[in-house]
Amino acid sequence: MSTTWHVLGAGSLGTLWAARLARAGLPVRLILRDHGRLASYQTANGLTLVEQGLAHTYPVVGETSDSPGQIHRLLVACKAYDAQEAVAQLEHRLVPDAELILLQNGLGSQDAVAAQLPQARCIFASSTEGAFRESDWRVVFAGHGYTWLGDARHPTPPLWLDDLQAAGIPHEWSTDILTRLWRKLALNCAINPLTVLYQCRNGELQDHQCEVATLCAELADLLECCGQPAAAEDLQSEVERVIQATAANYSSMYQDVAGARRTEISYLLGYACQAAARHQLSLPHLQQLQARLVRQLSARGLPSD
Ligand code: NAD
Ligand code: KPL
């Protein structure tokens, strides 16, 4: 009998994973915020995933953090700023050697969760898949991609990667997951804040090439200083390539701001600036960028952390 996949957070990525695991006949349970959300979910008859215009509903069982039953495997699919508290609410149900898969973007939240649960195995993930919530309990699979998973402390891949294979979740076990997360953080820092400040699509950053190049140079210095030279390699050319390849898109941070949602700034630019300060590295443009972004978020009445 397969171990149950508990999925914490019924948002875009949580639904995308839960629906595909359930479709493959694997045992999945969805953990919702509270009894109100659970009651709402129960009237919907399951999670709906829309793929290439076709909608399918999967009757995944819902529960809340105070439901009974131990948790052996937990997919944490909430935003970085919610991860620590969401996991804390479940601590009493986690077996000592539980496995957690942390899907958060940026850096900082993963270490915080791992420190909270020293006996658990925390697997960090970095995903290029894209999904968005069309309405409650209904998610659109918007962009095919890949998920890299890794554990900096134990390089042995877990056996349950077979479940991901069976569920058709494209993935790869990575022995350098921190490098991947740092690289993605650097890309996000070079692109996302500028799209908010200039209120533009990614492609319009081609009109701000000098500013992008200056940020990339500072980010590369930071990566080197943080012991991540591989993440610094050809950073500027990759940023330029991503800007071109995603020219018509709005960045995830732009979309959060446009939707008046909290951003993950503290786990992206905030994390980068703090790491620079720890290393006494002066990165004036990155720091200025953070100050401008914080001002912009505050002016819009959004949290700046
Ligand atoms: P989301 O906001 O759509 O979903 C998060 C869900 O977690 C929400 O439904 C929220 O209610 C729930 N949640 C928060 N606290 C909870 C708690 N205590 N108990 C139960 N549920 C709780 O977020 P998302 O877009 O799925 O993003 C999740 C993470 O994945 C983020 O770090 C994001 O940057 C990253 N990511 C997202 C995408 C994407 O396409 N959506 C792609 C790559 C990476
Ligand atoms: O990941 C991204 C995002 O929008 O968050 C890209 C497309 C790489 C832009 O930084």
Side-chain angles (χ1 to χ4, degrees):
M1 179 66 182
S2 300
T3 301
T4 297
W5 284 83
H6 281 88
V7 176
L8 174 56
S12 309
L13 281 198
T15 300
L16 184 58
W17 278 63
R20 289 179 295 180
L21 291 164
R23 181 170 62 191
L26 294 159
V28 186
R29 297 178 80 90
L30 191 62
I31 302 173
L32 302 166
R33 259 184 200 279
D34 53 40
H35 291 275
R37 294 300 288 160
L38 181 58
S40 156
Y41 176 63
Q42 280 163 345
T43 62
N45 299 317
L47 290 175
T48 300
L49 182 64
V50 183
E51 211 173 343
Q52 288 167 340
L54 291 176
H56 287 283
T57 301
Y58 301 92
V60 174
V61 177
E63 57 175 63
T64 58
S65 58
D66 57 10
S67 296
Q70 291 187 317
I71 296 176
H72 292 262
R73 186 179 303 144
L74 181 68
L75 179 75
V76 182
C78 50
K79 289 281 172 62
Y81 48 75
D82 281 329
Q84 244 186 304
E85 195 187 322
V87 169
Q89 285 169 349
L90 287 173
E91 226 172 305
H92 63 290
R93 293 179 57 194
L94 291 167
V95 297
D97 59 349
E99 289 179 297
L100 282 81
I101 298 102
L102 306 175
L103 276 180
Q104 288 58 52
N105 202 11
L107 280 163
S109 70
Q110 303 90 340
D111 280 340
V113 170
Q116 207 175 332
L117 302 169
Q119 292 196 63
R121 185 178 194 194
C122 287
I123 287 168
F124 297 7
S126 177
S127 184
T128 58
E129 291 196 309
F132 66 88
R133 221 171 347 171
E134 209 170 47
S135 57
D136 265 0
W137 326 118
R138 187 179 171 98
V139 161
V140 178
F141 192 175
H144 287 265
Y146 235 79
T147 301
W148 285 269
L149 300 139
D151 177 351
R153 291 187 298 185
H154 304 284
T156 321
L159 294 174
W160 50 255
L161 292 185
D162 287 350
D163 282 7
L164 304 192
Q165 193 67 33
I169 298 175
H171 66 280
E172 193 174 300
W173 183 250
S174 166
T175 49
D176 60 358
I177 190 69
L178 286 179
T179 303
R180 283 202 176 273
L181 283 162
W182 268 110
R183 178 74 163 192
K184 176 103 190 298
L185 177 143
L187 281 169
N188 286 165
C189 286
I191 298 174
N192 298 10
L194 289 179
T195 63
V196 172
L197 293 172
Y198 294 121
Q199 282 297 287
C200 69
R201 293 176 198 263
N202 294 351
E204 290 164 62
L205 295 185
Q206 282 160 339
D207 301 338
H208 301 276
Q209 255 175 7
C210 268
E211 198 169 4
V212 171
T214 308
L215 289 173
C216 287
E218 289 193 357
L219 285 161
D221 285 349
L222 175 67
L223 292 169
E224 297 272 356
C225 204
C226 292
Q228 293 293 337
E233 260 172 46
D234 300 325
L235 180 63
Q236 188 187 333
S237 45
E238 189 172 355
V239 166
E240 285 167 359
R241 187 191 62 72
V242 171
I243 286 175
Q244 240 175 29
T246 61
N249 298 356
Y250 287 107
S251 77
S252 54
M253 191 178 273
Y254 176 101
Q255 291 178 46
D256 282 340
V257 172
R261 291 184 299 267
R262 183 175 173 185
T263 68
E264 294 182 301
I265 176 178
S266 294
Y267 302 87
L268 297 165
L269 201 48
Y271 187 88
C273 288
Q274 267 186 18
R278 255 196 326 275
H279 290 280
Q280 297 180 320
L281 182 66
S282 163
L283 301 177
H285 296 89
L286 210 62
Q287 265 142 12
Q288 246 177 48
L289 183 68
Q290 192 196 22
R292 285 160 71 199
L293 184 60
V294 163
R295 273 201 302 276
Q296 170 83 238
L297 295 175
S298 303
R300 288 169 172 264
L302 289 174
S304 55
D305 64 347

